[in-house]
Amino acid sequence: MFVLYLFYKCFTKSAKMPVTLKPVLLDHQWKADGTCLYRIRVTHQRKMRYIKTNVIVAKSDLARDGSVKTQSVKDNIEDLMRKLRPVVNCIDHFELEAMSIDSVVAKIESELEKEEEFVLDFVEYGRKVALRKTEGGARDGYNVALNALVRFFG
């Protein structure tokens, strides 16, 4: 009997719900021009927080039932959700149980910022531009300037 009680306590009561993500439009966030930003609702341990997105929806993009009818908006939301799901899934289960909702949202936002970091390799871009030049003198001038830049910065 004690084994059944222990099993019940360990696997039913203490098991916490995973983090859930859902894109939502909040009624009080509509602007005077008829647009609204999508938010991602993050739910963890029955508490909710919202992550701001840059997906803008106009009232003309919505159907009568409130669903989005514009395919480009649907695609943007799906792309964002495809980025978020692996971030949430990589959090360890035991670590997740100890985390508060605010720390979960902070971890998700920090991972998203890492992905959005833009890196430009100026030398690689310059070499591509030099290859497109048809004249030998112009191409050579680009390559000389890029080689000097590489020598200067090391």
Side-chain angles (χ1 to χ4, degrees):
M1 189 66 162
F2 177 73
V3 173
L4 290 175
Y5 173 76
L6 187 63
F7 179 80
Y8 175 76
K9 279 293 201 185
C10 290
F11 294 106
T12 58
K13 291 282 186 180
S14 66
K16 303 222 189 265
M17 299 252 327
V19 174
T20 58
L21 305 169
K22 182 175 182 176
V24 293
L25 289 171
L26 301 176
D27 289 336
H28 66 280
Q29 294 289 330
W30 285 96
K31 297 180 182 170
D33 64 353
T35 61
C36 184
L37 284 173
Y38 251 103
R39 310 249 192 237
I40 303 296
R41 184 178 66 206
V42 180
T43 307
H44 176 59
Q45 296 176 352
R46 296 184 181 173
K47 294 179 183 144
M48 294 183 293
R49 297 290 183 272
Y50 295 93
I51 297 176
K52 294 179 183 178
T53 67
N54 58 356
V55 180
I56 298 175
V57 179
K59 288 196 178 191
S60 61
D61 294 334
L62 299 178
R64 288 182 187 229
D65 63 350
S67 63
V68 178
K69 63 181 179 180
T70 308
Q71 191 61 40
S72 63
V73 175
K74 286 181 185 178
D75 292 342
N76 288 340
I77 290 296
E78 282 302 315
D79 289 342
L80 186 61
M81 294 302 287
R82 276 191 216 105
K83 288 180 186 175
L84 288 175
R85 285 186 190 111
V87 171
V88 172
N89 289 338
C90 76
I91 302 173
D92 183 47
H93 176 71
F94 297 110
E95 180 184 355
L96 189 62
E97 284 184 359
M99 292 174 80
S100 68
I101 182 69
D102 295 322
S103 58
V104 170
V105 169
K107 186 167 183 101
I108 292 171
E109 287 177 342
S110 68
E111 289 293 324
L112 283 179
E113 288 175 4
K114 287 180 187 176
E115 290 179 8
E116 293 178 4
E117 185 177 300
F118 177 73
V119 177
L120 173 65
D121 187 359
F122 187 77
V123 175
E124 179 184 345
Y125 176 74
R127 299 223 190 273
K128 285 180 184 178
V129 170
L131 286 175
R132 285 185 287 188
K133 296 297 177 184
T134 55
E135 299 175 16
R139 182 181 304 151
D140 293 340
Y142 276 94
N143 285 328
V144 167
L146 287 170
N147 290 338
L149 186 68
V150 169
R151 277 195 310 271
F152 179 75
F153 286 113

